Amino acid sequence: MNKFSLLNRCEYNISDNIVVHIPTVGEIRNEQNDENEYYRIFSVFIKTPCDAMVELDDIGIDYTQISEYELFLMIISSYLENYKNAEDKYWDTVFPYLKKSELTMLNDNGKIVIVNKKNEIVIDENVYNLLSDFFRTILNVEKNMEYYKVPEIETRRYIIDRQRLKQKREIERQKRNKDKRSPSVLDGVILFLVNNCNFKYDFESIKKITIYDLWACYKQISANKEIDGIMTGYWMGNVDLKKVDSSKLNRLIL
């Protein structure tokens, strides 16, 4: 169940010190082609040890021995250091009331937290967990923990080496296609929705809805399409509804 009520909302209070702006499709996909820059901000909060297994291995850290919050602290520390004084419209859009230049890391009774200039705790582990779940929700992204509990060292070594090879091949592919436009995560979703009779937006008006609403519409229409297919099969005598999970027949996805 979705623990965030986000439909038709442009802002959400994560805590007393953090209000998150949910970007619209138009904000993410503007004339400057900034889609990947927004995902760079989101990745700070949603990357898991399984996502970063190769990078962690390169610095001698076993990805199964580091928590999500510990990884986040490593990433945000580097991010704040590299971009502390730089203008960052993407951060300012997502966190409109949280000045990045005012954030520092602090040891609070043995626990590392992020505080503002008033020394108020802005992000601790609980707030981080809320933020990571929130961003995965608006982006329709599942948490990647697929290989986190692999106990055998040899198996982990194989998984890391395979991921390293995959990344190498992706870099080579990007070099070969350096003159081609980078693929958009949203292109296929927008085409699917705009060309669906149950979706009331066109290529211009779709820019005004939030990224969460876009994915919610996609999931709702996809669910209806699947149910229509099941019911067509039932009326044709090809589907036994007793063998269909009742959740697959629920037209309300929220």
Side-chain angles (χ1 to χ4, degrees), residues 7 192-193 196 198-199 213-228 250-254:
L7 196 65
F192 172 82
L193 290 173
N196 189 286
N198 293 314
F199 191 69
D213 289 347
L214 179 81
W215 281 111
C217 290
Y218 174 79
K219 289 189 289 184
Q220 182 67 74
I221 290 174
S222 296
N224 287 340
K225 186 176 180 180
E226 182 179 4
I227 292 172
D228 289 343
N250 185 1
R251 291 188 182 271
L252 297 179
I253 56 109
L254 297 177

Side-chain angles (χ1 to χ4, degrees), residues 6 9 28 31 59 63 67 76 82 117-118 130 161-162 170 176 189 191 213 223 227 232 236 240 245 250:
L6 303 178
R9 298 185 65 170
I28 291 179
E31 287 75 10
I59 58 176
Y63 75 93
S67 70
I76 195 70
N82 292 332
K117 66 178 182 180
K118 297 179 181 179
L130 283 173
D161 290 344
R162 187 178 64 177
E170 176 60 21
R176 290 195 304 269
V189 176
L191 280 171
D213 289 347
I227 292 172
T232 298
M236 294 179 65
D240 183 355
D245 189 329
N250 185 1

Side-chain angles (χ1 to χ4, degrees), residues 1-250:
M1 181 180 294
N2 183 6
K3 60 183 173 183
F4 304 104
S5 176
L6 303 178
L7 196 65
N8 197 31
R9 298 185 65 170
C10 60
E11 289 188 349
Y12 190 86
N13 288 60
I14 295 291
S15 68
D16 291 340
N17 291 315
I18 297 183
V19 177
V20 178
H21 170 70
I22 306 173
T24 64
V25 174
E27 287 171 333
I28 291 179
R29 292 167 55 86
N30 58 36
E31 287 75 10
Q32 282 71 47
N33 237 355
D34 290 345
E35 186 174 335
N36 289 334
E37 293 299 323
Y38 275 101
Y39 287 115
R40 177 173 60 84
I41 299 294
F42 299 138
S43 70
V44 172
F45 297 89
I46 67 177
K47 183 172 285 190
T48 69
C50 292
D51 294 319
M53 62 172 67
V54 172
E55 293 82 358
L56 290 170
D57 185 63
D58 287 342
I59 58 176
I61 297 177
D62 184 338
Y63 75 93
T64 65
Q65 300 301 311
I66 184 172
S67 70
E68 295 171 62
Y69 184 61
E70 289 170 332
L71 175 63
F72 162 73
L73 290 175
M74 292 174 60
I75 296 173
I76 195 70
S77 174
S78 175
Y79 182 81
L80 292 177
E81 181 65 27
N82 292 332
Y83 295 94
K84 194 166 187 75
N85 297 316
E87 182 180 352
D88 193 338
K89 65 179 181 180
Y90 311 104
W91 175 280
D92 294 339
T93 299
V94 177
F95 297 104
Y97 314 110
L98 187 64
K99 296 298 182 183
K100 184 180 55 186
S101 60
E102 298 177 355
L103 300 179
T104 56
M105 302 180 72
L106 181 72
N107 190 322
D108 181 48
N109 295 321
K111 296 183 179 180
I112 304 299
V113 296
I114 296 174
V115 299
N116 59 20
K117 66 178 182 180
K118 297 179 181 179
N119 250 17
E120 299 170 326
I121 295 178
V122 176
I123 302 177
D124 57 13
E125 187 166 3
N126 290 331
V127 173
Y128 159 74
N129 288 330
L130 283 173
L131 281 168
S132 61
D133 287 346
F134 177 85
F135 287 130
R136 289 190 185 99
T137 298
I138 68 171
L139 296 174
N140 193 36
V141 173
E142 296 290 334
K143 180 190 292 189
N144 178 19
M145 300 296 282
E146 183 178 4
Y147 300 116
Y148 192 62
K149 294 185 178 180
V150 176
E152 300 83 5
I153 296 177
E154 296 81 3
T155 304
R156 293 203 300 272
R157 183 76 266 158
Y158 170 77
I159 292 171
I160 293 171
D161 290 344
R162 187 178 64 177
Q163 182 63 21
R164 190 185 303 277
L165 179 60
K166 182 178 179 181
Q167 290 183 1
K168 181 180 178 181
R169 288 174 175 170
E170 176 60 21
I171 292 173
E172 291 172 350
R173 185 194 66 79
Q174 291 177 0
K175 288 180 179 179
R176 290 195 304 269
N177 301 325
K178 62 180 179 179
D179 295 329
K180 295 182 180 180
R181 184 175 65 86
S182 299
S184 166
V185 175
L186 300 178
D187 277 357
V189 176
I190 291 173
L191 280 171
F192 172 82
L193 290 173
V194 169
N195 288 283
N196 189 286
C197 62
N198 293 314
F199 191 69
K200 307 305 180 184
Y201 296 85
D202 57 25
F203 285 114
E204 187 60 33
S205 57
I206 198 174
K207 297 177 184 179
K208 299 178 182 179
I209 70 174
T210 68
I211 188 67
Y212 174 82
D213 289 347
L214 179 81
W215 281 111
C217 290
Y218 174 79
K219 289 189 289 184
Q220 182 67 74
I221 290 174
S222 296
N224 287 340
K225 186 176 180 180
E226 182 179 4
I227 292 172
D228 289 343
I230 292 173
M231 296 310 298
T232 298
Y234 168 72
W235 292 116
M236 294 179 65
N238 297 324
V239 174
D240 183 355
L241 290 183
K242 294 180 180 179
K243 297 181 180 179
V244 177
D245 189 329
S246 60
S247 64
K248 290 186 175 296
L249 300 176
N250 185 1

